[in-house]
């Protein structure tokens, strides 16, 4: 027996337990959805629920079980490799992303069968032992599926927002009124040379996992700065709107102003004017359409909008390194996805009363930073198709930090770097302000 197999045997039970828990969560998240819900693609940026279920399964088939479309196994069909490959050029041809909603076959039931076969195959593999390289791939695949669980919820939220029925809901939960979190306070941080990134002595992930884009560890210089103690609220965003925020080009970067005008932005995504009272707003959520609560965090804003708001507020967005420095030594606690709680509202919660410390630092909403998504010094993508996971996207995108209400608990850490194009709004992004000095 090789040392590699011995290492895998020692963790096989934990690997299977985590794999099974992640796969079960995906199934729970899709349970409220009909077959009709699961096949719709409401815009090119989103994917059908059925595709998410199949793609996360394909990942294990391709990179763990060695699917090649020729073995004749039930789960190794060549059309799966074509339909459910997302962007891995090294794997081969794939179906165009904007056309995923046109694929009605395989059916939702066949995708469920596909998932079950792969679950069984992975469980069997773990009972006979796997090497450390495959074990690493299995862990990566589990974290990958957690990313898609968040995307699944965000995508079906957009799908349901297209439904002409009033208030189509994913979850039938009554949302209590939010308490006033009080005015924004400021928490000061001193600058200097600091270490950021995975593998730093103060940033090692608890379970040993981090994506490749989170490293290597390196030094950056920070100058004294302050962070707002909570996220920007919907009520504060209303003040921005009322003060002409979407009509004042001096607040916007040029690309953002062009996008806002071209796309007709007048408020965050999912805000709708009340047809009976145009001075008030409704908001579409996963619990349906309801009046906007001014005390809840604003969500579903682009980087362009976040930057314009910060300029209007006389502040700025934090850099990703300021955010990570502020996270040092802080417990990863906040409002994350809890699909097993029947009272869970699938929406950011108010900050609660001031504490003098940072509130809502993790969870609720991803926080836009002013940092472009670029490789850290010394970054090298892995070889082969797995190397396409993150590195190929390091151009034209902005970094977000902290996780959201749709992020599975335990998925994020201080070094986690999310990234999206600056114009995108359907993902769960909010705003935390920063300043160069004490205010």
């Amino acid at each position: 027996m090789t040392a590699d197999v011995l290492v895998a045997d020692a963790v096989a039970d934990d690997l299977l337990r985590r794999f099974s828990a992640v796969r079960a969560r995906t199934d729970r998240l899709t349970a409220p959805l009909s077959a009709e819900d699961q096949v719709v693609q409401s815009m090119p940026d989103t994917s059908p629920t059925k595709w998410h279920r199949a793609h996360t399964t394909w990942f294990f088939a391709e990179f763990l079980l060695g699917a090649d479309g020729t073995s004749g196994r039930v789960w190794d069909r060549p059309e799966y490799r074509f339909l459910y490959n997302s962007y891995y050029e090294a794997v081969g041809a794939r179906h165009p992303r904007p056309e995923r909603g046109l694929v009605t076959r395989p059916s939702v039931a066949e995708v469920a069968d596909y998932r079950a076969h792969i679950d069984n195959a992975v469980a069997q593999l773990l009972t006979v032992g796997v090497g450390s390289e495959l074990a690493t791939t299995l862990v990566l695949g589990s974290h990958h599926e957690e990313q898609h669980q968040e995307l699944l919820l965000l995508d079906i939220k957009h799908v349901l927002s297209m439904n002409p029925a009033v208030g189509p809901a994913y979850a039938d939960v009554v949302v209590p009124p939010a308490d006033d979190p009080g005015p924004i306070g400021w928490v000061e941080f001193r600058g200097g040379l600091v270490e950021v990134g995975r593998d730093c002595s103060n940033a090692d992930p608890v379970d040993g996992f981090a994506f490749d884009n989170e490293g290597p560890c390196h030094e950056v210089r920070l100058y004294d700065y302050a962070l707002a103690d909570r996220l920007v609220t919907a009520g504060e965003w209303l003040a921005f709107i009322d003060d002409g925020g979407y009509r004042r080009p001096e607040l916007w970067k040029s690309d953002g102003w062009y996008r806002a005008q071209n796309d007709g932005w007048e408020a965050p995504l999912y805000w709708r004017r009340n047809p009976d009272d145009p001075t008030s707003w409704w908001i579409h959520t996963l619990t349906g359409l309801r009046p906007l609560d001014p005390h809840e965090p604003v969500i579903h804003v682009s980087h362009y909008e976040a930057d314009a708001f910060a300029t209007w507020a006389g502040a700025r967005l934090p850099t990703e390194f300021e955010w990570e420095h502020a996270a040092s030594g802080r417990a990863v606690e906040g409002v994350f996805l809890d699909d097993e709680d029947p009272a869970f509202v699938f929406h950011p919660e108010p900050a609660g009363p001031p504490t003098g410390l940072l509130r809502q630092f993790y969870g609720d909403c991803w926080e836009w930073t002013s940092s472009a998504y670029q490789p850290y010094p010394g970054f090298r993508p892995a070889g082969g198709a797995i190397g396409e996971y993150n590195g190929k996207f390091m151009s034209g995108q902005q970094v977000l930090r902290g996780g959201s209400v749709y992020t599975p608990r335990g998925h994020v850490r201080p070094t986690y770097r999310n990234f999206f194009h600056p114009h995108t709004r359907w993902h769960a992004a909010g705003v935390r302000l920063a300043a160069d000095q004490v205010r």
Side-chain angles (χ1 to χ4, degrees):
M1 183 175 291
T2 66
D4 191 38
V5 173
L6 282 172
V7 169
D9 285 346
V11 298
D13 288 345
D14 286 339
L15 287 171
L16 181 57
R17 189 178 302 111
R18 173 166 172 75
F19 170 79
S20 300
V22 169
R23 301 287 283 175
R25 186 190 299 123
T26 300
D27 290 340
R28 289 197 304 272
L29 291 174
T30 59
L33 303 174
S34 68
E36 291 83 0
D37 290 330
Q38 295 191 44
V39 300
V40 175
Q41 182 177 22
S42 51
M43 66 172 176
D45 280 341
T46 65
S47 295
T49 301
K50 182 180 73 169
W51 185 89
H52 285 296
R53 297 174 66 194
H55 166 72
T56 52
T57 303
W58 165 87
F59 188 97
F60 292 110
E62 184 72 32
F63 297 119
L64 187 71
L65 301 175
D68 60 9
T70 66
S71 69
R73 289 171 289 191
V74 173
W75 46 263
D76 191 11
R77 291 164 51 176
E79 62 266 34
Y80 288 171
R81 302 187 78 222
F82 175 72
L83 290 173
Y84 303 131
N85 176 4
S86 55
Y87 51 72
Y88 295 90
E89 300 283 353
V91 171
R94 62 200 184 282
H95 186 68
R97 176 175 179 169
E99 299 176 10
R100 290 172 183 168
L102 302 179
V103 180
T104 60
R105 300 179 184 180
S107 67
V108 169
E110 287 175 300
V111 167
D113 188 57
Y114 178 36
R115 287 181 63 85
H117 278 286
I118 291 298
D119 290 352
N120 289 334
V122 171
Q124 291 173 9
L125 180 67
L126 288 170
T127 60
V128 299
V130 296
S132 59
E133 184 175 347
L134 285 182
T136 299
T137 302
L138 179 60
V139 172
L140 174 63
S142 296
H143 284 268
H144 166 258
E145 182 147 349
E146 287 182 330
Q147 290 180 315
H148 278 271
Q149 289 166 352
E150 177 159 3
L151 290 171
L152 183 156
L153 289 171
L154 293 169
D155 289 357
I156 198 63
K157 185 175 187 177
H158 194 269
V159 168
L160 293 176
S161 77
M162 299 290 104
N163 194 312
V166 175
Y170 169 86
D172 187 14
V173 180
V174 176
V175 181
D179 292 329
D180 187 345
I184 283 178
W186 294 88
V187 180
E188 304 169 27
F189 296 90
R190 297 303 173 193
L193 279 177
V194 300
E195 288 186 328
V196 296
R198 64 179 172 86
D199 302 327
C200 298
S201 59
N202 64 340
D204 289 335
V206 174
D207 65 355
F209 177 83
F211 289 111
D212 60 355
N213 67 352
E214 297 175 49
C217 176
H218 63 289
E219 286 185 333
V220 298
R221 175 173 288 280
L222 300 179
Y223 297 90
D224 293 352
Y225 66 99
L227 294 182
D229 69 338
R230 61 163 172 79
L231 299 172
V232 170
T233 64
E236 289 161 341
W237 205 273
L238 282 169
F240 171 68
I241 294 173
D242 291 343
D243 196 39
Y246 283 89
R247 303 188 303 274
R248 295 171 55 183
E250 72 272 18
L251 300 176
W252 295 72
K253 297 293 193 294
S254 177
D255 289 345
W257 178 251
Y258 172 80
R259 175 69 69 164
Q261 299 307 298
N262 188 65
D263 291 357
W265 294 347
E266 64 168 359
L269 185 65
Y270 302 131
W271 286 29
R272 302 175 182 177
R273 290 192 184 273
N274 181 341
D276 297 322
D277 179 10
T279 64
S280 65
W281 292 86
W282 289 342
I283 183 172
H284 166 75
T285 74
L286 281 177
T287 58
L289 193 65
R290 60 171 173 80
L292 181 70
D293 193 319
H295 300 316
E296 66 186 28
V298 70
I299 189 172
H300 295 298
V301 294
S302 68
H303 179 268
Y304 293 141
E305 291 166 286
D307 182 78
F309 179 93
T311 301
W312 173 79
R316 61 174 174 83
L317 299 179
T319 70
E320 66 166 315
F321 305 122
E322 289 171 337
W323 193 99
E324 187 171 322
H325 176 241
S328 180
R330 186 177 303 277
V332 183
E333 298 175 346
V335 180
F336 293 104
L337 177 64
D338 187 357
D339 59 287
E340 294 187 282
D341 179 1
F344 190 68
V345 300
F346 295 91
H347 196 74
E349 296 183 5
T355 63
L357 304 173
L358 295 175
R359 296 174 282 170
Q360 301 176 305
F361 199 65
Y362 287 102
D364 284 307
C365 303
W366 287 100
E367 300 176 20
W368 283 113
T369 74
S370 62
S371 299
Y373 179 50
Q374 294 289 330
Y376 288 166
F379 171 80
R380 297 290 184 274
I386 289 290
E388 299 183 57
Y389 197 102
N390 282 313
K392 66 191 289 182
F393 300 108
M394 292 176 171
S395 176
Q397 309 206 53
Q398 295 292 132
V399 175
L400 303 95
R401 295 294 194 117
S404 83
V405 68
Y406 307 113
T407 307
R409 185 173 298 278
H411 181 70
V412 297
R413 54 204 153 265
T415 59
Y416 193 108
R417 306 173 77 201
N418 199 359
F419 53 93
F420 279 97
H421 291 289
H423 67 275
T424 52
R425 310 206 296 167
W426 100 102
H427 53 91
V431 183
R432 183 183 301 275
L433 298 176
D436 293 333
Q437 58 188 10
V438 180
R439 296 172 61 90

